[in-house]
């Protein structure tokens, strides 16, 4: 068997038909970290803690033509590909499920025999690959070295089991997934190195750069150590004199700072048969001192096994917040792996002493509580934060606080924040629905006045002064964004603004009510005015509706529709005027805040439902990108059409979410695809970001128990039970909420939580 | 006028025919720093203090095809060439008069207008170039910027006079004379940057690398600042996405550490007409903190003019230790410029707090007194240290102490030491004659037992364990080094060992006498035994004498002479079996410790003298490389032939030492060529390194007054007077020493110093 995602424990669970086995159930054993590791899922099987800064990932995307996918030969955004075969080390701190190359550096590689520091030479094929939460292992066939890795929140540790003979450990700072280069390093003791590597230019934003600092330690004194650096090529006479010209030069005696584009360190050992060496790696985005502090605090006195046990325990605790029963092992694996993937980002930014790099600043600040980073908000505003709000409210609240701190530090809420840098990737104003949704659902432990100020700023400032809405001048004056450049994604921009403005109007409404209750009339009046303003803006989508094509269509600056127009253009990520990463069909139903209004525009319920059905029937639905992922739920806005939601979601889950490396339909988008599966497998989905409601559909499990934070939600758990006459039962016959008959297929968050128990009877 | 070496003061001196002018005489005004800046003299006109760590040198050897000599287009070893025309900044910390590319980095460049950070674009032609000790200035015609630089011992300061408008200051860490690359930098305040650059691989010794740390400050707050880095080229899809691919990318907001091969910082200002900005640069070979400390200590509260005045004062004090009278202005300029060049290396290594990088170690130690570095000993053992011993004994003593500390730290005396690294450039065991000469002349403030132990170690250890004499096995067993590889320089190696062993035998003899005086009989016996052993070894040169050719000739491992043999092969630096940088003729008379023995081998006095004369007459003498530079003095070993010494030295001085950019015959070799001129212009020369004697010849000045350290030499001054019947008088008619008639043309150091006054009467 080439790969197994099973740790020893899981091998047991698979055989678990006996009642005894049931007792040892842990969701950890149902996580297959290989799901999503091909088909551009861009997840990876590395070791990571829930929302941890550190991940340790097998890096197999460079160094050999035998690899199917090479990071430098094509667009490539993940340190690992399931179908590759050539390993060149473990990368430390990685992104999971993103579409641009970033991070994935500090490459740690064990080798044996003659020393080579050229990754084109020193890589190895591998076998016996296994992974489980917090653990990954493989066996390097070229070197007969077993490698294993695990992680704490801010540090990693590798255990290499060497054969007898001359062995090496390499730390490569010249390569990595990031396209930024430049590093320095220094040996600080017999067994310790420290240094920095520059990261960034995420999605080719040239200024979004930031340093990662590290301290690396080995638990055996090396026979010798040294550095390497690729030498800049010289020409002519001097080149003839330099034996290292254009090559990797070894620095065998020098131990002070080394700096350069392509540098690294090597440690050489005499190892006995099966001798194990452990390599600890602490990181920080603040300083080398903090990297050392993180390492000391999180790994002092712990060996590999202890770190691994703690990492598994963290995953067990987090994943156990939802217990599913019934359903197949395959479904459980899909579900818990999705939950695992949804708990990777956003992740910790601050060090153990609370320090973190301030947003878009060169200052270092100290956080109260956790400071989160990696906010891929255009993706995650749709469902990841809704999942966290319900199940991990303490984390969601802290994420909102982090977003507000970013506003305090930088003057703007985040759009796509990455380790303190605003990368401005994708469009819209996605912080708004996240904050509004969180507030409206009742998580109120943040400065709401500041939040409103921050959200309003992006909504009202002119385009030239507006980091988040650069086309706000057009948007405010026209009610839409005209196409001013061929590929300016103008329609996509505007659709995002509508959704954000709808959410903001809901917030203003709620704050108006609060103000009224408090007798603050003038305040209430102003909020009401805002609510009206933003709500009216949110309906501007109607400008884009083309009766001729029955889809949204770009509008030219002169007010005419863009022509020639093909609503199918944009499939397969080809550039498409007005639309970002999709065709007009992928966007035309993306008005979740005014589904009824859109239906009216389209000629009423039947026309809407027929057209939406056609999207699914004719393959116009893209399961792999965000704008249309809540299309299936829209049927349920229309009485009698809810079965279509249930049918399509069943089909989509079956087809696209599998216990297989290609078991995610495209980029996981820091858990967005996974959160989609989680909600829909449980039977409810938050299809309108910023509105605290869910559309109900058929659960795949017989029972789902969500452990709730009683202080937040007023109850210990939320239970979803499903009575399933046969395994094929697909459609919902009746529902109960809190023991009372339920006839609506959309319910509010408050109803759900107060109900406490949702019961489905299928037919 | 394109260039002037004259400061304002000197312009006055040139006109100094009036008696009033004589009063303001300062040797500083007779230094032309442009001497040696072409014809491979490899000196430079930069600002430096006597034996200072810092030098600030106009860097004009890259960035334009208009330059005649480009550092990357050929073998090139100096930051400045007189005939080049294109300036790309000031390099900080440079070597003077060496033959391999090294140091010359931290390039500081002022520009105006649109910002460019590519040195191929931002360089400028210049005019109004002037230099004097501690000062250099030019005018950048492209930018209308006047640039001036001066230096303290460990720091530099530049003053740029800008036109009105947008101005920039660039710090380029990617380029420089050194072939090592890699640097990091960080902006630490509005007006301050710090960082490190890697230097080394001197003469392509790949392990001789070391870091230079710096702190740079400007005295005006920049409008904006940023970094740049040349991006590694990408190919394919990702390259298309990256606007900076393969280009210099500007980092406009990032202020934390930047690292890489080719990086830099820019500072942009709005300047008024003729606004001056000063840029201070502190360096250290220990740490950034020490670079800051050096800057604070040496420049705090001082502006450019104050630093310049102090630098001139230092030069005035040092150069005034020798006052020459009579002779032409040209001769005075040649003389004082030579003295200036002889006082550049060895230079300070330790910071103001005494810290320095230990020899071949990663440790930092604290020096008692000055710690010197840049020991080009194969060159300087011949005359530079002899000059220092006589005129700057406090410095010479401290240099010997530094050499012994190197032995303490590294286990070996230096051969070619460079900032704590042993580069092992050239051959032999050149510390021995330096230490022996110093001791025998009476400078005894060092641990002589340790010194003897250190010298003996190199002399007796087997080749495999012997860093300094790797071919010691052959040398000890055969008495010579056979040719084992075509270009192994075996004869050159052995000739150096003979000289070193002769010196060591003198030392052993002296120590034996000391021991006898103290009644330490056994010790005395052992020293005597050593003296005999080393003396006998020193005569091994006879093996190499080929009667057939009348020259030295390589010997094959089988004992036969190497064939085919051409004693002229090796001219013009072409490779030559057995001989390093020269032909057999350049080495055949290089047995200064046994001139009479060599003469006997050659057939007696007449044969010797005739052959030696032939060397001069037939152009077989190379004035530009060390092995034969004391040939002319050898005539004086033979009664009646001294006139030949006087005649040839007169001719050589006239021909090769001029007040002109090509006024040094080849590499100055850290002052060796200059020291040759100094001694010979004063009328005495130490032609046998390790033997405390001088050969006398015709002084070019009427009076030379050397201020002596009375505590060391027992008198205040040494005066050399010359009575010259006519300007053409060349030969010595009679001599007096200490008022007594002198009939010998070789005298001991003790005789000279005790005599106090040497009087020549010419004919």
């Amino acid at each position: 068997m080439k790969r197994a995602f099973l740790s020893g424990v899981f091998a047991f669970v698979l055989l678990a038909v006996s009642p005894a086995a049931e007792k040892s159930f842990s969701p950890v054993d149902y996580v297959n970290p290989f799901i999503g590791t091909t088909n551009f899922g861009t997840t990876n099987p590395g070791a990571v803690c829930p929302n941890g800064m550190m991940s340790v990932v097998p890096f197999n995307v460079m160094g050999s033509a035998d690899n199917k996918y090479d990071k430098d030969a094509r667009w490539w955004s993940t340190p690992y590909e399931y179908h590759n075969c050539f390993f060149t080390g473990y990368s430390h701190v990685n992104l999971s499920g993103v579409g641009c190359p970033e991070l994935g550096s500090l490459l740690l590689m064990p080798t044996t025999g003659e020393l080579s520091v050229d990754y084109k030479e020193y890589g190895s094929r591998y076998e016996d690959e296994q992974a489980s939460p917090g653990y990954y292992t493989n066996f390097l066939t070229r070197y007969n070295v077993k490698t294993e890795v695990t992680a704490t929140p801010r540090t990693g540790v590798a255990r290499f089991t060497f054969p007898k003979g001359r062995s090496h450990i390499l730390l490569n700072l010249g390569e990595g997934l990031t396209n930024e280069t430049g590093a320095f390093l220094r040996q600080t003791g017999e067994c310790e190195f420290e240094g920095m590597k520059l990261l960034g230019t995420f999605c080719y934003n040239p200024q979004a750069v930031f340093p990662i600092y590290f301290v690396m330690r080995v638990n055996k004194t090396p026979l010798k150590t040294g550095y390497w650096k690729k030498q800049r090529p010289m020409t002519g006479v001097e080149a003839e004199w330099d034996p290292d010209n254009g090559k990797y030069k070894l620095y065998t005696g020098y131990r002070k700072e080394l700096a350069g584009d392509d540098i690294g360190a090597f440690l050489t050992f005499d190892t006995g048969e099966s001798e194990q060496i452990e390599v600890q790696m602490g990181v920080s985005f603040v300083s080398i001192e903090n990297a050392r502090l993180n390492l000391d605090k999180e790994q002092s006195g712990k060996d590999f096994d202890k770190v691994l046990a703690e990492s598994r325990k963290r995953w067990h605790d987090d994943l156990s917040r939802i217990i599913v029963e019934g359903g197949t092992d395959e479904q459980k694996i899909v579900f818990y792996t999705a939950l695992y993937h949804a708990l990777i980002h956003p992740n910790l930014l601050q060090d153990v002493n609370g320090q973190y790099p301030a947003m878009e600043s060169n200052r270092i600040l100290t956080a109260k509580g956790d400071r989160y980073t990696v906010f891929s908000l255009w993706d995650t505003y749709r469902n990841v934060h809704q999942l966290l709000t319900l199940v991990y409210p303490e984390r969601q609240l802290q994420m909102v606080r982090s977003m507000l701190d970013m506003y305090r530090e930088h003057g703007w809420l985040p759009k796509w924040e990455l380790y303190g840098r605003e990368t401005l990737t994708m469009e819209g104003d996605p912080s708004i629905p996240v904050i509004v949704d969180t507030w409206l659902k009742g998580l109120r432990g943040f400065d709401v006045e500041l939040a409103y100020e921050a959200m309003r700023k992006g909504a009202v400032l002119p385009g030239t002064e507006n980091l988040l809405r650069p086309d706000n001048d057009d948007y405010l004056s026209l009610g839409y964004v005209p196409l001013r450049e061929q590929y300016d994604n103008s329609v996509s921009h505007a659709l995002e603004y509508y959704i954000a403005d709808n959410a903001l109007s809901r917030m203003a409404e709620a704050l108006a009510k609060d103000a009224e209750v408090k007798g603050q009339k003038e305040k209430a009046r102003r909020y009401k005015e805002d609510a009206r303003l933003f709500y009216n803006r949110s309906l501007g989508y109607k400008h884009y509706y083309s009766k001729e094509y029955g889809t949204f269509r770009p509008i030219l600056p002169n007010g005419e529709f863009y022509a020639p127009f093909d609503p199918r253009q944009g499939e397969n990520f080809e550039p498409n005027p007005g639309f970002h990463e999709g065709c007009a069909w992928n966007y035309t139903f993306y008005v979740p805040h005014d589904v009824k209004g859109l239906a009216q525009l389209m000629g009423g319920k039947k026309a809407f439902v027929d057209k939406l059905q056609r999207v699914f029937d004719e393959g116009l639905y893209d399961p792999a990108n965000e704008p249309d992922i809540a299309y299936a739920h829209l049927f349920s806005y229309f009485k009698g059409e809810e079965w279509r939601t249930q049918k399509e979601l069943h089909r989509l889950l079956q087809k696209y979410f599998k216990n297989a490396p290609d078991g995610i339909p495209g980029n996981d988008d820091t858990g967005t695809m996974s959160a989609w599966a989680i909600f829909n497998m449980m039977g409810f989905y938050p299809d309108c970001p910023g509105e605290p409601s869910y559309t109900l559909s058929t659960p795949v499990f017989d029972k789902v128990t969500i452990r709730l934070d009683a202080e937040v939600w007023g109850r210990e758990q939320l239970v979803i039970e499903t009575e399933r006459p046969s395994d094929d039962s697909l459609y919902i016959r009746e529902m109960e909420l809190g023991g009372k008959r339920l006839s609506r297929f959309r319910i509010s968050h408050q109803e759900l939580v107060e109900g406490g128990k949702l019961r489905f009877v299928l037919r």
Side-chain angles (χ1 to χ4, degrees), chain A residues 36-49:
Chain A
T37 59
T38 189
N39 190 35
F40 305 100
T42 65
T43 62
N44 64 66
V48 63
C49 282

Side-chain angles (χ1 to χ4, degrees), chain A residues 459-460 469 475-476 498 501 533-540:
Chain A
V460 304
R469 302 193 192 193
Y475 179 69
L476 295 186
Y498 299 138
D501 283 348
L533 174 73
F534 296 129
Y535 177 70
N536 286 337
R537 278 203 209 158
S538 81
L539 301 180

Side-chain angles (χ1 to χ4, degrees), chain A residues 211 213 285-287 349 354-366 371 405-411 419-421:
Chain A
Y213 304 93
F285 292 86
V286 169
S287 66
L349 175 61
Q355 290 187 324
Y356 68 94
M359 184 70 185
E360 284 292 326
S361 161
N362 297 293
R363 285 177 303 155
I364 300 302
L365 298 176
T366 300
R371 165 75 168 217
D405 283 341
M406 290 173 198
Y407 173 73
R408 285 187 181 94
E409 292 152 18
H410 173 47
Y419 288 91
R421 304 315 299 241

Side-chain angles (χ1 to χ4, degrees), chain A residues 80-143:
Chain A
Y80 177 89
E81 220 295 337
Y82 186 82
H83 292 101
N84 279 355
C85 56
F86 203 74
F87 176 87
T88 45
Y90 283 104
S91 56
H92 289 82
V93 185
N94 302 269
L95 294 174
S96 173
V98 300
C100 289
E102 193 49 83
L103 293 122
S105 70
L106 314 183
L107 297 169
L108 184 70
M109 176 76 188
T111 70
T112 65
E114 196 167 340
L115 177 67
S116 167
V117 301
D118 183 347
Y119 72 91
K120 286 175 183 145
E121 289 176 1
Y122 68 58
S124 171
R125 288 177 170 270
Y126 53 96
E127 57 186 26
D128 291 343
E129 197 181 23
Q130 298 184 35
S132 62
Y135 181 76
Y136 172 90
T137 181
N138 66 20
F139 183 82
L140 304 184
T141 53
R142 175 174 171 187
Y143 298 119

Side-chain angles (χ1 to χ4, degrees), chain A residues 427 471-485 488-499 501 536-563 565 567 576-580 583-585 587-591 593 597-598 601-602 611:
Chain A
E427 55 261 313
D471 27 26
N472 223 14
D473 292 350
D474 279 336
Y475 179 69
L476 295 186
S477 63
L478 302 171
Y480 60 87
V481 180
L483 184 103
R484 295 195 178 272
E485 287 177 34
D488 64 3
N489 304 324
S490 49
V491 186
S492 300
H493 287 207
L495 290 173
E496 294 292 340
Y497 299 153
Y498 299 138
I499 286 164
D501 283 348
N536 286 337
R537 278 203 209 158
S538 81
L539 301 180
Y541 72 89
K542 294 178 184 181
H543 291 288
Y544 286 115
Y545 188 71
S546 158
K547 282 199 173 148
E548 186 183 350
Y549 288 94
T551 65
F552 292 152
R553 183 176 171 185
I555 304 172
L556 294 167
N558 65 7
E560 290 174 15
F561 278 127
Y562 172 81
F565 177 62
N576 182 14
F579 298 97
H580 198 174
C583 69
W585 286 109
Y587 279 94
T588 289
F589 292 88
Y590 192 44
V591 193
H593 56 289
L598 179 67
L601 211 56
M602 288 178 169
K611 194 188 314 199

Side-chain angles (χ1 to χ4, degrees), chain A residues 107-123 142-143 162 165-172 193 222-229 244 247-253 255 264-270:
Chain A
L107 297 169
L108 184 70
M109 176 76 188
T111 70
T112 65
E114 196 167 340
L115 177 67
S116 167
V117 301
D118 183 347
Y119 72 91
K120 286 175 183 145
E121 289 176 1
Y122 68 58
R142 175 174 171 187
Y143 298 119
F162 287 104
R166 183 60 51 100
S167 300
H168 313 283
I169 290 172
L170 312 177
L171 176 65
N172 185 328
F193 290 75
L223 207 61
K224 55 181 177 179
T225 62
Y227 305 146
W228 74 77
K229 186 173 70 196
D244 303 305
K247 293 190 254 178
Y248 286 97
K249 165 170 154 180
L250 295 186
Y251 295 73
T252 55
R255 293 289 178 282
F266 64 88
L267 302 86
T268 296
F269 303 86
D270 263 338

Side-chain angles (χ1 to χ4, degrees), chain A residues 3-66:
Chain A
R3 288 178 179 85
F5 68 90
L6 322 167
S7 68
V9 179
F10 188 72
F12 176 67
V13 170
L14 262 197
L15 302 169
V17 285
S18 72
E22 290 292 334
K23 285 178 191 162
S24 68
F25 172 86
S26 169
V28 171
D29 300 323
Y30 283 90
V31 175
N32 177 2
F34 290 104
I35 292 178
T37 59
T38 189
N39 190 35
F40 305 100
T42 65
T43 62
N44 64 66
V48 63
C49 282
N51 305 104
M53 174 193 290
M54 174 60 81
S55 60
V56 192
V57 175
F59 197 83
N60 73 354
V61 294
M62 70 176 192
S64 173
D66 295 345

